[in-house]
Amino acid sequence: MTTQDELALQQWLDKLDQHPLPVLPTSLRRVRELLNDANVPLKEVGRVIASDPVMCLHVMRVAVKQHSSRLGGAPGNIHQCIALLGLARLRPLLSKLRPMSDDISTPAQQGYVRALGHSLHATAQIGGWLRYRSQPGTDQLLQAALLYGAAQWALWHVAPDDMQIVERLVAAERIPQEEAEMAVLGCTREQIARGLGERWRFPREVIEIDH
């Protein structure tokens, strides 16, 4: 990367890192309903969190920040993150999350929803393959699949106009995806994804599956 490319990448990382992402409204309503019960099992709360890729991202970032030094590395999957935080720390974290708008008529919202849909689809595909193949490390790989495309969610949330231009260049002008991203963003989505993964100290499996 040139010095100019590195500067553009760092500017994007700083910008994306400062904007909390909205979660799926249905997931947020459900998890808050569960947390109203003082005796709710942690495992039940965890199932809802694991079903929402953005909620997973928020929980994993907090768990990594609070526990990676003690563990000598990032927690391996979302279930480990949830267990490390426990209900006492999950309650205030989840109470601060905001839902995405129910109105998905704008191109920005549609792009954000599509990006989340790709992550959920990847999770379903890998989950089915792992069950068929009986592979070890299922939880880690499923979590990596769920978080696949985190940079794409963030870009659609923070810079929807730029993302629409990238889409038009690819669809109408037949410009390769990476070239369009370089022209508009000054760096590629893959570079942003790796940069965010390293900055957030994601598990190795997450960073590698996103590239």
Side-chain angles (χ1 to χ4, degrees), residues 8-160:
L9 175 59
Q10 289 306 313
Q11 289 174 338
W12 276 114
L13 295 179
D14 291 340
K15 189 174 184 178
L16 299 179
D17 203 15
Q18 293 169 3
H19 290 78
L21 299 173
V23 301
L24 297 173
T26 52
S27 301
L28 190 58
R29 283 194 293 268
R30 178 55 181 154
V31 81
R32 286 178 174 173
E33 288 172 1
L34 290 173
L35 291 175
N36 285 333
D37 180 359
N39 299 313
V40 63
L42 181 61
K43 187 174 182 179
E44 192 169 348
V45 175
R47 277 198 293 266
V48 179
I49 293 172
S51 71
D52 185 322
V54 185
M55 201 175 289
C56 285
L57 175 65
H58 288 295
V59 170
M60 180 170 282
R61 288 186 63 185
V62 172
V64 166
K65 183 177 180 180
Q66 294 184 3
H67 295 282
S68 61
S69 296
R70 179 172 63 84
L71 295 174
N77 61 60
I78 188 61
H79 300 291
Q80 290 180 11
C81 294
I82 292 167
L84 286 168
L85 293 176
L87 286 174
R89 291 189 178 92
L90 283 172
R91 289 180 192 276
L93 166 61
L94 297 173
S95 69
K96 295 177 182 176
L97 300 183
R98 294 292 175 263
M100 59 180 287
S101 173
D102 288 326
D103 178 13
I104 58 171
S105 61
T106 66
Q109 283 292 94
Q110 291 169 3
Y112 189 69
V113 169
R114 282 200 308 275
L116 295 182
H118 292 159
S119 292
L120 292 169
H121 181 65
T123 301
Q125 283 190 318
I126 291 182
W129 182 81
L130 288 172
R131 283 190 293 272
Y132 174 74
R133 300 279 296 184
S134 300
Q135 293 291 314
T138 299
D139 285 344
Q140 288 85 351
L141 290 173
L142 283 174
Q143 182 54 27
L146 193 61
L147 287 170
Y148 177 85
Q152 193 84 342
W153 321 333
L155 284 166
W156 273 107
H157 179 60
V158 173

